[in-house]
């Protein structure tokens, strides 16, 4: 895994030579501060949902019977209607409310905010980069340069 990470960093280093690819790298660099703060908020909300799954459903759903199991169960998005069938009527109402609130709050709202943070950093980075050549234009220039050198 470490080798894969080092290889990825070497690719990122080589991307700096190309203006368009450098926009992507700079976007990631400029968004780290905002995304790290977002990560704290996300982790807090996510762990609250995992804890709630453990408390509310751990007695009846084996995957949520331990806190680590509930975290994995919540992360994998494994809440489906088959899990709800084993619950009592009140448990089903609670289960569906739990699932719908998680889908709205985490999957829609929080991930929408995350994408907004990244796109905002991309907009700033793109504006700083100015006009860059498209990939097709870069290929044409490279071919023309190779022909000139022959």
């Amino acid at each position: 895994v470490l080798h894969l990470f080092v290889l990825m960093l070497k690719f990122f280093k080589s991307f700096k030579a190309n203006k368009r690819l450098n926009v992507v790298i700079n976007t990631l660099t400029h968004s780290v501060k905002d995304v790290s703060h977002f990560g704290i908020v996300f982790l807090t909300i996510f762990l609250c949902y995992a804890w709630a799954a453990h408390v509310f459903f751990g007695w009846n759903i084996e995957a949520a019977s331990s806190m680590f199991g509930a975290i994995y169960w919540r992360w994998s998005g494994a809440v489906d209607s088959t899990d709800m069938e084993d619950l009592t009527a009140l448990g089903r109402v609670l289960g569906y409310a739990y699932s719908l609130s998680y889908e709205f709050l985490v999957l829609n709202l929080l991930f929408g905010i995350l994408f907004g943070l990244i796109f905002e950093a991309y907009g700033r980075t793109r504006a700083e980069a100015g006009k860059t050549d498209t990939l097709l234009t870069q290929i044409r220039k490279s071919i023309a340069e190779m022909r000139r050198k022959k």
Side-chain angles (χ1 to χ4, degrees):
V1 174
L2 180 63
H3 179 69
L4 181 63
F5 184 72
V6 170
L7 184 63
M8 184 177 60
L9 289 177
K10 287 183 179 188
F11 274 119
F12 283 168
K13 186 177 179 182
S14 68
F15 289 165
K16 287 189 177 271
N18 184 304
K19 276 187 167 184
R20 281 209 175 220
L21 294 176
N22 196 31
V23 167
V24 175
I25 302 303
N26 286 338
T27 297
L28 294 173
T29 304
H30 292 346
S31 66
V32 165
K33 183 179 172 185
D34 291 333
V35 170
S36 62
H37 286 96
F38 169 83
I40 294 169
V41 173
F42 173 80
L43 190 62
T44 302
I45 292 172
F46 177 80
L47 289 176
C48 285
Y49 268 96
W51 177 78
H54 174 63
V55 170
F56 294 143
F57 309 118
W59 54 271
N60 205 18
I61 298 174
E62 186 177 343
S65 62
S66 71
M67 188 59 194
F68 289 117
I71 289 171
Y72 178 75
W73 183 66
R74 184 66 273 166
W75 185 258
S76 66
V79 181
D80 59 9
S81 60
T82 58
D83 292 328
M84 301 301 166
E85 290 173 359
D86 296 335
L87 299 176
T88 63
L90 179 61
R92 278 190 213 126
V93 170
L94 183 63
Y96 288 121
Y98 171 87
S99 295
L100 290 174
S101 68
Y102 180 82
E103 286 178 19
F104 172 74
L105 182 64
V106 175
L107 299 181
N108 292 329
L109 188 64
L110 286 181
F111 283 137
I113 291 170
L114 176 64
F115 294 144
L117 291 172
I118 293 171
F119 287 140
E120 190 268 332
Y122 173 77
R124 280 185 288 149
T125 304
R126 185 78 172 102
E128 290 173 5
K131 187 173 189 225
T132 57
D133 292 336
T134 65
L135 183 61
L136 190 57
T137 304
Q138 290 175 4
I139 291 171
R140 285 181 186 151
K141 284 181 179 180
S142 295
I143 291 171
E145 182 72 24
M146 289 180 354
R147 286 182 180 163
R148 264 192 310 229
K149 287 186 177 182
K150 281 187 177 182

